[in-house]
Amino acid sequence: MKITELSNRLTAVFVIAFILFFGVLTLSEYGEKDFPEISAKTILNGSFGKVLESYMTENFAFRDRWLSAKADIEADMGEKIVDGVYISDGRMLGTEGARRDISLKNAENVNKFADNYKGTVYFTAVPTSSGVYAELLPDYLLSNPEKSQIATLYDGLADGIRKIDTYNILKMMNESYIYYRTDTGLTSYGAYYVYRAVIQKLGFLPSSYSKYTISHVKSDFRGNLYKRCFYDGTKPDILDIYSYSGGAEITDCTVCTDSGVTYKKQPDNMDFSESDDIYNMYLGEGNPFVKINTSVNNQKKLLVIKDSTADCLIPFLIQHYSEIAVIYPEYSEKNMSFFVDPDNYEQILFLFGIDSMSNENLLEMINK
Amino acid sequence: MLYSSLIFIYGFFPPSLLIYRIFSEKLRKTVLFALSMIFCLLCSPEMLVFLIFFTFVNYVVGLFTGAFRRKKLLSTLCLFIGVAFDLVMFFTFRTEKFIFLKERLRIPDEIFPIYFSFITLSALGYLIDIYKKRIRAEGNFINFGLYIMMFSKFFIVIRYSSFRKMLDGLSCDNSQMGKGLKIFVRGLVRKVIFADSLYMLYIAVKSINVLEMSVANAWLGMTAYVLCLYFTLSGLTEMSTGISCCFGMEFPPCFNYPVFSTKIRTFVSKWHIQVLQWFRRCLLKPLCDLSKNRLCHRLAYILTWCAIGTWYRTDVNGLIFGGLLGFFLMEEKFLCRLRLLKATGIIYTCMAILMFAVLISGDDISCSFRYILAMLGGNGVFADSMTLYLLRCYGVILMAGVFFSSMIFRNIAVRCGKTVADIISPVLTVVFLAVCTALISGSGHSAVLILNF
């Protein structure tokens, strides 16, 4: 047998064995997971092919290892961008900020709302880690920096609305651990500084940092950026929770869902340690409306309209208000009036990550 | 379904190979046809129905053209109907004008327009060959159906007569299968490793405002574009060739290391050989046969190049690209007389090809001309920090791309002797298959395409 022929035969054996090994392993879990249903109907409407393809992708044998191998190869091969996540020396940063289009429709909705509202409206747009650590990103991804995105948004808001600047404070603090390394969001430490800026504008003295006791929840946390790129080279994050010893406590927490079901939540038995979502860690799963009563006895009430970025800030605000109502527009298809009458609150705080502001219909619900 | 997807490599390919090998030689054609139907069905049932309809129309038109071969007028009429039908379908899929039809057929949009561009060439070539009496019309629907619809032949354009000969001896030999797998993995590497990372480089350059782009960035972007185009097209055809080889059909190679030629003419003769040959045989030759006038021949040459440009990109840019390149090719012989060109041929060709590539890459004509201006230094900046950053990130892959697309690589491979290549290739093939699998494991496929097909 000639050597070329032998080589070809060997290749055939190796490659077919390799393909069969992974192919059979992937498909052998047939029935255990949601394998696409084979029927004339699914085949004829074309869904079978699509479902089969995504089944194959999601349940591919040893998927986790393939993915982290992919991240390593891609980070070594070209630019350090894996699935839209830029991997810099110390942290991961999202790259979609460069293409983000800030919708002024949200600003218009807030303006319209403020016209009909007696109290004071405050607006805070919090940058993502890509905005604060922009200098780590390559130049061509900086044509539309978050700083100017925030400025555009604030320019669109009416004069009567008090705008709270957090970008410059966070920028100043960027040597500290204010953002997670593997997530776009603020750490509790970063949240504390945003809280200081916000609460001063709202007319209170911020609680001093030394009054908080810090408890470590987790030291191997990997956030939403990691879940996109699966790159293991960045150090995992530490999750901390700040509690104010001897301060006010939550006395009552009412949750309302979109279908109108209301139930009480025990604030003291929240178990954070198992939750792998830093956002759920503070307020529990995403609910459209949460009302928190506290032991503070000043009869002050605050309405917060927010996105997930703001979750980490709520625990800090508890020290100052006897009632805080929280509305989460992303999780609701109802209008705001379905949950709450804004005129019962003397202050309203809009608290959003700048990334949410590209969704132009987000704040439609506050005016209907 | 894409060739470079997990579902194809690990889900569709192994069972179809098994089924193919179980059946005896007589039934293999039918088996292949059935497998191709399943392939299309998994993409979208509407696509299957449409492809069968398309095949059937061409089959019938072919039969009629053949039947009237003694009556010139009638056979011309048949040919005209067939060509008109194919062209209408081609423009339907390639332009946005008929988007309602595309939506109605629920065509998976990422790759199908490309499939279809190749299929149209095959069908048109078949009809023209019958009309020119080079072949007889095919009576067996399965044979013709395989020529149009075979799942492993989507990126291959080949004469019907050669294809028909291959169908007669469908073997299934282990050694041939190994050879096919080697070619397939090579194509996969070209697409997934090279084309996809060069695409990222091209996109990075493209995101710079063209009015501020430095000279170095502009050239870097175009180099990435041309190499990416080369690796994409050659990768797709090699994957096609490799799979076909596993199923007993050996198609000739389509690219013969065209990048780094000494003349544009040489470049063109090595680039996408099957497709350019098709245009020469089915468009240029019939046009030249119409008249003996030299001027007419020159006009026909330019027209053919306009058609080629339009085939690559169906808009004004493609037309202008084709026309200019055709004109340039015709007049190149005057340049070739220059002594200087003997030494600097490669540089001249590369620069010219990059300039021409701007025309097919730009969003529109004015954008392309602004880009060319940037390449020539119109923005007054030679290089900036971005250039350094891009070179640092993509330097290695760019060098590797240049190396593997050049004759140097081929020459080294030849000098080392076949023995060395034969010994290491089985292991290398598996390693590269694993690397490519890792790279496509995130999304399940590698769909990015540089051509605005």
Side-chain angles (χ1 to χ4, degrees), chain A residues 4 7-8 11 63 79 139-140, chain B residues 178 182 207 385 389 394 422 442:
Chain A
T4 313
S7 155
N8 283 343
T11 314
R63 181 159 200 258
E79 214 170 345
D139 290 348
Y140 75 97
Chain B
K182 276 182 196 171
S207 68
S385 61
Y389 167 79
Y394 291 101
D422 282 336

Side-chain angles (χ1 to χ4, degrees), chain A residues 31-273:
Chain A
E32 286 173 33
K33 294 193 178 128
D34 43 353
F35 192 80
E37 185 192 347
I38 306 178
S39 70
K41 199 180 143 216
T42 53
I43 290 178
L44 286 180
N45 69 17
S47 66
F48 179 74
K50 280 191 199 80
V51 180
L52 186 67
E53 182 156 7
S54 57
Y55 171 85
M56 201 64 196
T57 310
E58 277 153 31
N59 298 306
F60 195 68
F62 305 108
R63 181 159 200 258
D64 297 352
R65 285 193 216 159
W66 286 116
L67 285 175
S68 77
K70 165 195 150 87
D72 288 340
I73 297 170
E74 283 191 354
D76 284 341
M77 212 160 58
E79 214 170 345
K80 297 198 174 296
I81 297 179
V82 182
D83 284 323
V85 177
Y86 182 81
I87 297 165
S88 76
D89 283 344
R91 59 171 61 248
M92 299 173 180
L93 297 168
T95 58
E96 48 291 305
R99 291 187 306 275
R100 191 179 299 140
D101 198 10
I102 296 300
S103 170
L104 283 180
K105 225 169 137 192
N106 286 320
E108 281 160 25
N109 274 325
V110 176
N111 291 343
K112 202 165 130 199
F113 171 79
D115 282 346
N116 305 320
Y117 170 72
K118 316 193 282 292
T120 325
V121 178
Y122 300 84
F123 199 102
T124 315
V126 181
T128 67
S129 53
S130 327
V132 172
Y133 293 99
E135 70 279 358
L136 296 176
L137 289 170
D139 290 348
Y140 75 97
L141 291 174
L142 295 177
S143 52
N144 177 22
E146 285 191 2
K147 189 182 178 180
S148 53
Q149 290 173 17
I150 294 175
T152 314
L153 181 71
Y154 281 8
D155 285 345
L157 290 170
D159 291 340
I161 297 165
R162 311 249 175 109
K163 298 129 202 160
I164 306 171
D165 169 50
T166 54
Y167 178 84
N168 287 314
I169 294 158
L170 290 168
K171 188 86 195 165
M172 234 159 57
M173 296 293 300
N174 73 2
E175 297 280 297
S176 319
Y177 190 46
I178 51 169
Y179 279 98
Y180 292 111
R181 287 182 287 260
T182 60
D183 196 285
T184 46
L186 289 165
T187 61
S188 292
Y189 188 62
Y192 172 75
Y193 281 93
V194 173
Y195 147 79
R196 278 179 66 104
V198 169
I199 206 71
Q200 281 175 1
K201 281 270 179 167
L202 288 172
F204 293 92
L205 267 181
S207 332
S208 87
Y209 186 68
S210 57
K211 293 236 174 105
Y212 290 94
T213 14
I214 300 166
S215 45
H216 287 296
V217 178
K218 225 176 183 183
S219 54
D220 57 348
F221 167 73
R222 291 178 194 272
N224 56 15
L225 293 174
Y226 174 79
K227 289 193 181 98
R228 275 161 60 190
C229 70
F230 291 93
Y231 178 71
D232 289 320
T234 307
K235 244 175 36 180
D237 277 300
I238 303 160
L239 288 194
D240 287 338
I241 285 208
Y242 287 24
S243 47
Y244 193 92
S245 39
E249 275 164 21
I250 298 174
T251 52
D252 194 30
C253 179
T254 315
V255 175
C256 185
T257 64
D258 236 14
S259 51
V261 181
T262 312
Y263 61 93
K264 300 233 182 238
K265 199 162 175 178
Q266 296 301 324
D268 46 313
N269 66 2
M270 292 186 193
D271 185 15
F272 308 124
S273 51

Side-chain angles (χ1 to χ4, degrees), chain B residues 66-82:
Chain B
F68 297 130
R69 53 196 296 154
R70 287 172 208 287
K71 295 175 186 146
K72 187 89 179 164
L73 190 70
L74 276 176
S75 70
T76 314
L77 186 71
C78 282
L79 178 77
F80 179 76
I81 294 171

Side-chain angles (χ1 to χ4, degrees), chain A residues 78-81 99 138-143, chain B residues 196-210 213 217-218 220-222 224-225 371 384 386-387 389-391 393-394 450:
Chain A
E79 214 170 345
K80 297 198 174 296
I81 297 179
R99 291 187 306 275
D139 290 348
Y140 75 97
L141 291 174
L142 295 177
S143 52
Chain B
D196 288 3
S197 22
L198 289 166
Y199 180 75
M200 295 282 288
L201 172 56
Y202 170 65
I203 287 299
V205 173
K206 210 178 166 218
S207 68
I208 312 173
N209 183 351
V210 83
M213 194 181 284
N217 285 347
L220 203 61
M222 265 309 117
Y225 180 83
Y371 196 97
D384 50 22
M386 172 95 175
T387 318
Y389 167 79
L390 288 177
L391 278 178
C393 292
Y394 291 101
I450 196 148

Side-chain angles (χ1 to χ4, degrees), chain B residues 207-268:
Chain B
S207 68
I208 312 173
N209 183 351
V210 83
L211 296 173
E212 293 163 7
M213 194 181 284
S214 68
V215 180
N217 285 347
W219 285 96
L220 203 61
M222 265 309 117
T223 314
Y225 180 83
V226 170
L227 284 178
C228 177
L229 189 63
Y230 166 70
F231 280 115
T232 308
L233 287 175
S234 64
L236 290 176
T237 39
E238 274 197 330
M239 285 193 271
S240 244
T241 315
I243 303 161
S244 305
C245 194
C246 295
F247 289 93
M249 273 178 249
E250 285 192 49
F251 296 126
C254 195
F255 286 84
N256 185 18
Y257 299 94
V259 193
F260 307 107
S261 306
T262 47
K263 272 185 274 177
I264 301 186
R265 205 169 257 277
T266 328
F267 177 92
V268 165

